[in-house]
Amino acid sequence: MPTPPVDSRESGILDRARSLFYQHALVKLDQRHIGAVAAINPKDIKDKAAGAFHEDLNYGEVFIRDNVPVMIFLLLEKEFQIVRDFLNVCWSLQSNQFQTMGIFPASFTEKAGALVADYGQRAIGRVVSVDATLWVPIIAHAYVQASGDVAWARQPVIQFGIQRFLDLILHPRFRDAPTIHVPDGAFMIDRPLDVWGSPLEIQVLLYGSLCSAAGLIKQDLCHGKQGHFMGAFRDKQKQQFMFAVAWAKRLRRYLLKHYWVNTKTVQVLRQRPTEEYGEGAANEYNIQTESIPHWLQEWLGEEGGYLLGNIRTGRPDFRFFTLGNCLGAIFDVISPRQQQALFHLIWHNQAHLVAQMPLRICHPPLEGSDWQSRTGYDRKNRPWCYHNSGHWPCLTWFLAAAMLRHQQLYPSLSQDTWENCQSLLYSSYKTLLKRLPQQRWAEYFDGPTGLWTGQQARYYQTWTIVGLLLLQHLLKVEQSAAHILNIPRLSELSQPF
Ligand code: GLC
């Protein structure tokens, strides 16, 4: 891929982004970094015109999900100590309470010299911390992979934490499906948007976290006699490893069967019988043809495919969710051919998904009475706003990672598709470079094309700033960095050790 030279305007913007991040977003406690705040207070950088920072809101806290791009960026910068400190903080905040044992907080902050965590007990609407919990083992695995610090993963305290995490996932429940069932707002979309049940992002993260946790246990088990543990703990590690791998295999099969759609599968869905009873049912979730929306025809075209938003009894969700789909490609939940179909779909629908600000978070928006009843009149999530089809620049680097990784691993991608991917990524980069500094590194953008700064957006949002730096790194500095989020493959985990 050609790497156009960096002009002085571009390097000025990148320098500004780096200094905002390193000097104002990263937080320290007792001389150690603990992560980055969600948004920089404009007061701290003397930007009076940006308005007051709402001290009562929690943007001054360290959110685990917002720190995913932060930690990935720091790994690429070889700032391993900061990532290790952040992970140690996460481990120290893993819940020990009976009802939430094993979860990691959505966010935390420093008060009077101590860390105070929010597991959902303070969050608006009391939304739960599921994606943060699933992200932690994935970041931990990425850290060990990038730094080679296997000794960190083998510490008793870390292996105990992984065990507590797996206790939380691998336990009996009411449903037989390998997906996990969550209330509304359990991930990046942390407000009501009818994303309860088995939303895609959570299931794909579950897959990534099971493989990552198994990979981290394997690091310890592989070292045989030198292991720190004997007896019952070692037996439990082996058992959890086996269960996690078996669960991940089942989950992937399930997602491919129930979530993957293209023009062929939709036509099969439309012909299925309903009201079937028994194990041989073709339409297991008793989905009526009428729930398959007509916009899907144009959206999929002949060659497109994607993982749909949710599978629930009688109520599938055909909306397209950008992050869940990008992660589905990055974690190889979908096959190389399916990844190609996904990239084709994104290219085909770029007027919607990219428009004037990459990338739209989900498509299409809930409107009218659907918006009223399914969000509970959530004013922040009005149609074309915020999570309800708003545009989030922080998502673009995930797409770049998915596309570049695919091209490097499976160069089978047709030349046309690859040229389309490149042109989409480069033009997105140009848009971000032009608009983010103008619009004060806003958190999100509103309207059908994403032209307007989000009505309630924070300025100087950390993952917007770091997202641009990551995109620049992937496109112009080190394309092989697209492998940074590689998780252990099921085939590797299934080999004897
Ligand atoms: C908003 C976003 C959420 C993010 C938080 C902090 O609540 O919806 O995904 O983690 O802000 O930036």
Side-chain angles (χ1 to χ4, degrees):
M1 193 194 279
T3 41
V6 180
D7 64 37
S8 61
R9 201 186 136 264
E10 179 182 359
S11 68
I13 294 166
L14 297 171
D15 287 349
R16 170 78 174 138
R18 289 181 75 86
S19 95
L20 282 170
F21 170 63
Y22 277 111
Q23 289 170 31
H24 301 282
L26 281 178
V27 189
K28 274 185 172 174
L29 177 66
D30 297 333
Q31 304 307 313
R32 289 183 166 238
H33 289 104
I34 58 167
V37 289
I40 300 166
N41 191 339
K43 218 167 62 187
D44 293 346
I45 47 173
K46 304 197 174 30
D47 184 351
K48 285 204 186 115
F53 192 77
H54 295 264
E55 306 281 355
D56 52 335
L57 290 179
N58 48 0
Y59 284 83
E61 299 207 359
V62 176
F63 279 73
I64 288 184
R65 80 166 70 80
D66 296 50
N67 273 270
V68 171
V70 168
M71 295 304 142
I72 296 301
F73 177 67
L74 290 168
L75 289 181
L76 296 180
E77 294 262 296
K78 308 236 178 314
E79 293 283 1
F80 298 133
Q81 187 60 47
I82 306 182
V83 181
R84 185 183 165 122
D85 287 347
F86 170 78
L87 286 168
N88 286 337
V89 167
C90 292
W91 247 255
S92 73
L93 295 174
Q94 191 179 24
S95 170
N96 266 321
Q97 299 296 306
F98 173 72
Q99 203 167 332
T100 51
M101 179 90 71
I103 73 166
F104 292 97
S107 67
F108 53 86
T109 190
E110 179 261 329
K111 278 206 176 95
L115 287 171
V116 193
D118 183 4
Y119 301 90
Q121 82 283 5
R122 278 191 278 127
I124 297 176
R126 301 292 183 262
V127 286
V128 292
S129 176
V130 186
D131 68 330
T133 298
L134 299 172
W135 266 118
V136 171
I138 299 172
I139 308 173
H141 175 266
Y143 164 72
V144 175
Q145 189 168 247
S147 67
D149 188 2
V150 176
W152 175 82
R154 296 194 60 227
Q155 294 171 92
V157 64
I158 300 302
Q159 290 289 325
F160 270 116
I162 295 167
Q163 197 159 91
R164 269 205 301 268
F165 165 76
L166 286 175
D167 283 340
L168 174 75
I169 310 282
L170 307 173
H171 63 79
R173 56 192 79 202
F174 283 100
R175 300 161 64 243
D176 177 49
T179 43
I180 44 179
H181 199 85
V182 296
D184 222 347
F187 52 107
M188 177 182 178
I189 296 179
D190 58 357
R191 294 178 74 93
L193 198 69
D194 200 22
V195 287
W196 55 270
S198 306
L200 175 67
E201 190 173 316
I202 291 293
Q203 313 315 322
V204 170
L205 284 173
L206 173 63
Y207 179 79
S209 68
L210 284 168
C211 294
S212 300
L216 292 167
I217 296 178
K218 193 172 172 179
Q219 298 277 12
D220 195 44
L221 289 179
C222 273
H223 287 76
K225 287 195 192 109
Q226 295 153 25
H228 296 286
F229 304 111
M230 303 303 287
F233 189 90
R234 185 58 103 201
D235 291 344
K236 187 165 174 186
Q237 273 183 309
K238 288 184 186 158
Q239 196 189 41
Q240 283 194 326
F241 174 85
M242 268 163 39
F243 284 162
V245 174
W247 191 299
K249 278 188 189 158
R250 248 187 97 207
L251 177 60
R252 177 165 186 261
R253 275 200 302 273
Y254 182 95
L255 292 174
L256 292 179
K257 177 171 176 199
H258 294 283
Y259 285 66
W260 178 255
V261 277
N262 59 26
T263 190
K264 269 198 205 140
T265 65
V266 173
Q267 292 177 70
V268 173
L269 295 184
R270 282 165 48 86
Q271 308 282 330
R272 283 186 321 193
T274 53
E275 307 306 326
E276 297 168 284
Y277 174 79
E279 286 174 10
N283 186 354
E284 289 162 62
Y285 290 96
N286 203 28
I287 290 164
Q288 309 291 327
T289 301
E290 289 76 359
S291 67
I292 302 174
H294 291 299
W295 59 264
L296 219 53
Q297 194 167 83
E298 168 59 23
W299 179 258
L300 284 169
E302 274 181 67
E303 290 172 51
Y306 71 102
L307 292 162
L308 52 74
N310 211 330
I311 282 292
R312 304 177 286 213
T313 302
R315 287 202 275 174
D317 184 348
F318 282 90
R319 279 175 293 173
F320 176 86
F321 288 84
T322 303
L323 183 52
N325 271 284
C326 289
L327 291 175
I330 291 174
F331 296 160
D332 282 331
V333 171
I334 54 176
S335 70
R337 280 184 76 135
Q338 290 171 327
Q339 293 177 25
Q340 209 162 317
L342 172 67
F343 302 149
H344 181 86
L345 175 123
I346 293 172
W347 166 257
H348 175 69
N349 292 297
Q350 60 179 309
H352 294 290
L353 290 174
V354 180
Q356 297 190 68
M357 176 51 75
L359 284 171
R360 183 174 294 170
I361 189 169
C362 74
H363 177 88
L366 293 176
E367 297 186 272
S369 58
D370 271 350
W371 167 73
Q372 292 173 352
S373 63
R374 287 159 69 186
T375 73
Y377 293 80
D378 189 301
R379 299 193 54 72
K380 223 174 159 181
N381 273 343
R382 287 191 310 270
W384 305 113
C385 298
Y386 201 46
H387 303 140
N388 193 7
S389 287
H391 289 232
W392 292 67
C394 62
L395 295 174
T396 315
W397 77 273
F398 283 106
L399 179 63
M403 287 176 163
L404 293 167
R405 180 182 175 279
H406 178 100
Q407 215 281 329
Q408 289 159 34
L409 280 178
Y410 319 106
S412 62
L413 194 63
S414 81
Q415 192 54 27
D416 284 356
T417 313
W418 175 232
E419 278 167 16
N420 292 343
C421 290
Q422 285 189 83
S423 104
L424 188 147
L425 294 176
Y426 273 104
S427 68
S428 295
Y429 176 62
K430 268 175 83 178
T431 307
L432 295 179
L433 215 50
K434 177 163 177 255
R435 294 197 45 214
L436 293 183
Q438 278 172 5
Q439 285 170 287
R440 293 193 164 83
W441 311 91
E443 179 188 11
Y444 67 97
F445 294 76
D446 282 345
T449 71
L451 183 64
W452 302 329
T453 306
Q455 203 186 351
Q456 295 188 46
R458 290 313 112 209
Y459 292 127
Y460 305 101
Q461 185 81 14
T462 301
W463 63 9
T464 301
I465 297 167
V466 173
L468 176 74
L469 292 171
L470 275 169
L471 185 62
Q472 191 264 346
H473 191 99
L474 286 168
L475 291 180
K476 295 184 143 199
V477 180
E478 188 192 6
Q479 299 203 345
S480 58
H483 296 271
I484 188 90
L485 266 176
N486 280 0
I487 55 168
R489 289 179 173 272
L490 281 177
S491 53
E492 288 158 25
L493 291 171
S494 306
Q495 278 163 17
F497 48 90

